């Protein structure tokens, strides 16, 4: 069966058509600037050149129509008709406490995703637009929602509660949810497959280091702690997000700079992280490493602080699981940035982590970084959230 995987943002839509039997990607693409001037679709059929088409489109409905047109196009398409799409799997950011697994979408699920929008005001409404646009353009094709938060729902209460008045949890469900769950799930199970073991017998720390970054402790196949919280702002230092900080800083800076809490929130999400810390050099680790190598002291500080924070979390998750068998790096930085992996692992020598410098030079593939003597296995496992969404969609439909 062919499964169309959709990741819908407020003005963009990413898609992949995956053959669930071979697990091959038949085509993938991106629709950008939906409802904005200059909207375009970039469609890449497997093994062929990408095709870019600039075309005005008012809304996501038109975007989905264009995706279908691209998929069945006689020249660039990969299927003959819509009937060759057996199901659609949607990435949905927030499933709250309600969704502990992926689900088949019906009216009540749509209502629940809508109700959870207050917890993810930028994402859930956009995800819903994609769901509705697909329902309209592909009537009768079953759709599934795969939640970013679901994998983390196994966390114990002591890991997800904040030290706040309990009534905020009762009234507003303020607690840690965690994100990137599809990636943490995929990578931890892939670790088991690569090692020829059941992940139920392993203690794994997954470091998802992308533009957004999070880390999780996966013990016996279940998430027991993760670094992102009520929102994706908590935890590691990220490209432009601050991660953990003293909450009193907010009030302090707002007063000094005359900022509203909304403006401060924008600073924390868009102007902080390694971008802010490096004095504006870049949020991209390729630029940061280049600047650090050229002697830029702030870029060096940003990289060191970043690695230190990741290592600090690994230390605390080792405690949470009372040990660790495997540390897995994934996502753009985890898969590619050898200097970051080296920097993080440098802090872990005390626990017997040793990595092979030559293995660490490789990037973008499955690699075992640790030496034969290392007490903990260290691996690079490229994430594949789309494949995971396709698998979960197939499983529930
Ligand atoms: P992601 O959000 O997983 O797509 O990761 C994107 C980030 O990965 C970029 O912002 C870069 O910081 C980082 N990245 C991508 N390629 C490389 C590379 N070759 N070397 C270092 N960092 C990279």
């Amino acid at each position: 069966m062919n499964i169309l995987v959709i990741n819908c943002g407020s003005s963009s839509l990413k898609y992949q058509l995956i053959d669930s039997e071979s697990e091959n990607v038949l085509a993938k693409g991106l629709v950008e600037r939906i409802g904005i001037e200059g909207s375009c679709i970039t469609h890449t059929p497997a093994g062929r050149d990408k095709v870019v088409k600039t075309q005005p489109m008012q809304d996501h409905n038109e975007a989905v129509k264009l995706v279908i047109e691209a998929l069945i196009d006689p020249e660039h398409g990969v299927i003959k008709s819509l009937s060759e799409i057996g199901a659609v799997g949607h990435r949905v950011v927030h499933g709250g406490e309600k969704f502990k697994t992926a689900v088949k979408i019906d009216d009540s699920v749509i209502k629940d995703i809508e109700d959870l929008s207050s917890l993810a005001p930028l994402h859930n409404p956009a995800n819903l637009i994609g769901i509705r646009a697909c329902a309209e353009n592909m009537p009768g094709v079953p759709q599934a929602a795969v939640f970013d938060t679901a994998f983390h729902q196994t966390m114990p209460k002591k890991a997800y509660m904040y030290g706040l008045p309990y009534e905020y949890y009762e009234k507003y469900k303020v607690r840690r949810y965690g994100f990137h769950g599809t990636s943490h799930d995929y990578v931890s199970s892939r670790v088991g497959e690569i090692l020829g073991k059941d992940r139920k017998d392993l203690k794994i720390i997954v470091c998802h280091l992308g533009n957004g970054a999070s880390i999780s402790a996966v013990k016996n196949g279940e998430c027991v702690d993760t670094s992102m919280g009520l929102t994706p702002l908590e935890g590691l230092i990220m490209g432009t997000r601050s991660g953990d900080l003293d909450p009193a800083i907010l009030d302090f800076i707002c007063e000094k700079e005359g900022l509203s809490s909304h403006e401060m929130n924008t600073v924390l999400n868009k102007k902080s992280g390694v971008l802010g810390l490096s004095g504006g050099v870049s949020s991209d680790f390729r630029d940061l490493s280049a600047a650090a190598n050229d002697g830029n002291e702030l870029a060096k500080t940003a990289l060191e602080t970043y690695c230190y924070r990741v290592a600090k979390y690994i230390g605390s998750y080792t405690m949470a699981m009372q040990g660790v068998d495997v540390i897995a790096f994934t996502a753009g930085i985890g898969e590619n940035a050898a200097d970051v992996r080296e920097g993080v692992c440098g802090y872990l020598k005390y626990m017997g982590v040793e990595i092979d410098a030559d293995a660490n030079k490789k990037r973008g593939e499955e690699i075992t970084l640790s030496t034969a003597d290392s007490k903990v296995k260290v691996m690079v496992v490229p994430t594949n959230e789309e494949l995971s969404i396709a698998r979960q969609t197939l499983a529930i439909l």
Side-chain angles (χ1 to χ4, degrees), residues 380-395:
V380 175
V381 179
T383 192
N384 194 339
E385 290 167 274
E386 291 80 9
L387 177 58
S388 179
I389 291 173
R391 282 180 183 167
Q392 293 183 60
T393 301
L394 183 71

Side-chain angles (χ1 to χ4, degrees), residues 59-73:
D59 54 26
H60 288 73
N61 235 328
E62 291 186 19
V64 169
K65 278 198 181 92
L66 270 183
V67 171
I68 295 170
E69 270 172 32
L71 290 170
I72 62 176
D73 184 89

Side-chain angles (χ1 to χ4, degrees), residues 14 180 208-212 239 274 282-289 330-340 363 383 385:
K14 280 194 224 158
H180 297 137
H208 177 109
L209 311 180
N211 207 12
V274 289
S282 181
S283 62
D284 192 303
F285 278 65
R286 288 162 284 200
D287 304 333
L288 270 185
S289 296
T330 195
I333 298 155
E335 290 166 29
N336 294 296
D339 51 349
V340 169
R363 63 185 185 85
T383 192
E385 290 167 274

Side-chain angles (χ1 to χ4, degrees), residues 45-66:
R48 287 185 269 162
D49 289 341
K50 67 178 177 196
V51 192
V52 183
K53 187 171 167 191
T54 306
Q55 176 168 330
M57 64 193 96
Q58 278 181 351
D59 54 26
H60 288 73
N61 235 328
E62 291 186 19
V64 169
K65 278 198 181 92
L66 270 183

Side-chain angles (χ1 to χ4, degrees), residues 75-90:
E75 204 180 331
H76 313 295
V78 290
I79 52 174
K80 290 201 181 69
S81 76
L82 198 56
S83 64
E84 290 179 48
I85 299 177
V88 185
H90 292 269

